[in-house]
Amino acid sequence: MRRKVREALLAYLFLVPSFLILGTFVFWPVGFSFVLSFFKWDFKNMRNPVFAGLENYREIFRFFPPMDHSFAQAFLWTCFLIFVSMCIVVAVYGIVRKNRTAWFLLIASILLYTFKEQLLRIFALVLSLSLLIIIVLKTKGYLSKHLAGLIAAVAGLTTLMLTFDKRFYTVVDFLLEGRDKNLFVKAMFNTFYYVVLSVPITIGLALGIALMLNSNIKFRAFFRTAYFIPFVTSVVAISLVWRWIFDDAYGLLNYFLSFLNVQKIAWLKDERWTIPTIAIVSIWRTVGYDAVIFLAGLQSIDRSYYEAAEVDGANATQKFLYITWPLLSPTTFFLLIVSLINAFKVFTEVYVLYSGLPGPYNNSGLTMVYYVFDRFYVQQRMGIACAAAYVLFAIILIFTLIQFKVGRNVVEYVS
């Protein structure tokens, strides 16, 4: 017992320098900034911050003029559409399985979506919920993992289509309306737009490049270096070069597009192209890093799997779908988490491309990190900046937890 205690104390003594450095430069600033998010700390109250409770959080979500609908209403409508979509998909699945109860669920779902009278909606909601539970219980033994994923995907697509039905006020409508009435909501909208645009394209391009570099092509070492160089180059230098490339009068990009009879695009002056412009720079910079990680994952796959597939007569597509892609799932999972976190923190590209401004006009390039920067350093409203930073932290944490939850069922680790 004394020996174990002595070894533990000795180990912690060795860790004390690391704890001191991390505590001084990481844990203490993070904890102190969280406390300051509940204080009114600005230029006037620099020395004596005043406790404000949740006022800073309410301030960053205050709309001017006020919104016609609340976020709670939009969230409930979105949940309603998701529920209807699930009912429709499960009903169709039940009909295919020759389950008679599914016809009643389908009729109730249609009534639920079509009629707007409150009493009928409540009745159809209760009926649909009851039938949905019955059908799920009946088909539970026959529902495989892949089929459950297919049902979820179809329900998601159905929800996406129903989201744009103007009879319902969803979260998408709330963001579209709120971005013109609240800068933080606009920053959230721009950031989500950037994440959706950049992360999938970067992962897809990186996988394609890694597959090419993993094949027997000439000058592989040269191409590996060429693709990786942008990642280790200064972001400021890269953004300055891309400012010249995007120039609508003398830029190389419009010059090459002119050969395809494409009209000149005001990349840095049109707000419609602000987020795509930032995404292009980020994709070009990070695709090499992701490709190198994918390449390491490809080279760690045992060749015996491919040899066995060749014996069974598998073609290149089947090898990729049933060997390469499943065995690359740990690498893909890692890159998705890292890429998502980095995408939510985009700032430098915006600052350099637009000379310290959040886009050409109308705050079209305002991201969440830029919002924190503006509130902290420009307006010196540090309490609000801390609150906005922790909202960003909460969003990243939620997406990361979702990825870990999904990753447990999807990622295949092979020793």
Side-chain angles (χ1 to χ4, degrees):
M1 184 65 182
R2 289 184 177 180
R3 184 178 178 182
K4 290 183 178 180
V5 173
R6 185 178 179 182
E7 289 178 354
L9 288 175
L10 188 61
Y12 281 114
L13 283 174
F14 279 111
L15 290 173
V16 163
S18 298
F19 283 143
L20 288 175
I21 294 173
L22 290 174
T24 304
F25 297 103
V26 178
F27 300 133
W28 166 249
V30 169
F32 188 59
S33 62
F34 178 71
V35 172
L36 287 174
S37 67
F38 299 100
F39 283 79
K40 185 178 181 181
W41 185 36
D42 50 24
F43 184 75
K44 295 181 180 179
N45 302 285
M46 183 71 71
R47 296 184 178 275
N48 299 303
V50 179
F51 181 75
L54 296 174
E55 182 60 29
N56 290 329
Y57 292 92
R58 284 193 289 264
E59 177 67 23
I60 61 177
F61 286 108
R62 186 165 288 139
F63 296 93
F64 184 80
M67 296 281 287
D68 298 329
H69 303 82
S70 65
F71 178 78
Q73 184 179 2
F75 181 75
L76 287 175
W77 273 118
T78 305
C79 293
F80 167 78
L81 291 179
I82 293 173
F83 176 76
V84 172
S85 302
M86 290 297 296
C87 287
I88 293 174
V89 173
V90 173
V92 172
Y93 172 72
I95 291 171
V96 173
R97 301 287 302 180
K98 297 180 180 180
N99 191 331
R100 295 179 180 179
T101 317
W103 285 102
F104 296 100
L105 177 62
L106 183 61
I107 294 171
S109 303
I110 294 172
L111 290 174
L112 186 66
Y113 176 71
T114 304
F115 294 96
K116 303 192 73 173
E117 288 79 3
Q118 297 297 327
L119 291 176
L120 183 59
R121 181 178 298 157
I122 293 172
F123 170 75
L125 180 63
V126 174
L127 179 62
S128 298
L129 183 60
S130 304
L131 293 172
L132 178 64
I133 294 173
I134 292 172
I135 291 179
V136 169
L137 290 176
K138 284 187 176 182
T139 59
K140 186 177 180 182
Y142 304 98
L143 200 62
S144 65
K145 183 189 298 185
H146 297 290
L147 189 57
L150 179 62
I151 289 177
V154 175
L157 291 174
T158 309
T159 305
L160 187 62
M161 290 187 292
L162 296 181
T163 297
F164 294 97
D165 192 329
K166 296 303 179 184
R167 290 182 295 174
F168 305 106
Y169 188 82
T170 62
V171 173
V172 175
D173 298 310
F174 180 86
L175 291 174
L176 290 174
E177 181 186 354
R179 63 178 179 173
D180 295 325
K181 299 180 179 180
N182 182 285
L183 279 179
F184 188 73
V185 172
K186 182 153 194 174
M188 289 176 61
F189 184 88
N190 290 339
T191 305
F192 279 110
Y193 179 24
Y194 169 80
V195 170
V196 171
L197 195 61
S198 63
V199 173
I201 295 176
T202 304
I203 297 293
L205 286 176
L207 180 59
I209 293 170
L211 290 171
M212 181 189 69
L213 294 177
N214 196 45
S215 61
N216 293 322
I217 62 171
K218 295 182 179 180
F219 309 110
R220 280 191 299 176
F222 169 77
F223 285 116
R224 290 176 187 176
T225 307
Y227 281 115
F228 193 72
I229 281 177
F231 182 76
V232 297
T233 307
S234 169
V235 183
V236 177
I238 290 174
S239 302
L240 287 172
V241 172
W242 276 97
R243 275 183 63 182
W244 174 65
I245 294 174
F246 283 130
D247 189 273
D248 56 331
Y250 308 104
L252 280 177
L253 188 55
N254 280 336
Y255 175 74
F256 288 126
L257 290 176
S258 64
F259 292 110
L260 302 175
N261 295 322
V262 177
Q263 296 293 329
K264 288 185 176 180
I265 300 174
W267 297 98
L268 299 176
K269 296 179 181 177
D270 190 346
E271 67 170 335
R272 295 177 301 173
W273 292 100
T274 302
I275 299 300
T277 298
I278 299 167
I280 289 172
V281 178
S282 300
I283 291 168
W284 181 82
R285 176 177 172 268
T286 57
V287 71
Y289 170 80
D290 291 359
V292 169
I293 301 298
F294 268 129
L295 184 60
L298 287 170
Q299 293 179 347
S300 66
I301 298 175
D302 197 334
R303 295 296 306 172
S304 60
Y305 294 111
Y306 296 104
E307 292 170 357
E310 288 175 359
V311 171
D312 292 335
N315 55 33
T317 304
Q318 291 172 329
K319 289 178 186 177
F320 176 79
L321 291 178
Y322 298 106
I323 298 176
T324 306
W325 182 244
L327 295 179
L328 270 182
S329 56
T331 307
T332 309
F333 177 63
F334 166 75
L335 286 177
L336 276 174
I337 291 178
V338 174
S339 300
L340 195 73
I341 293 173
N342 289 332
F344 271 107
K345 298 190 299 180
V346 60
F347 169 76
T348 309
E349 292 88 343
V350 182
Y351 190 83
V352 178
L353 280 174
Y354 296 98
S355 303
L357 298 175
Y361 59 91
N362 199 24
N363 293 301
S364 58
L366 183 68
T367 60
M368 297 178 74
V369 175
Y370 196 102
Y371 180 91
V372 174
F373 165 80
D374 179 73
R375 289 298 181 273
F376 196 99
Y377 290 101
V378 180
Q379 300 187 20
Q380 294 192 347
R381 302 176 70 182
M382 285 72 78
I384 292 179
C386 292
Y390 273 93
V391 172
L392 173 60
F393 169 77
I395 292 173
I396 295 175
L397 180 63
I398 290 170
F399 276 100
T400 304
L401 291 176
I402 292 173
Q403 285 182 303
F404 272 105
K405 183 67 175 178
V406 174
R408 291 177 183 175
N409 301 322
V410 176
V411 178
E412 298 182 17
Y413 294 98
V414 180
S415 58

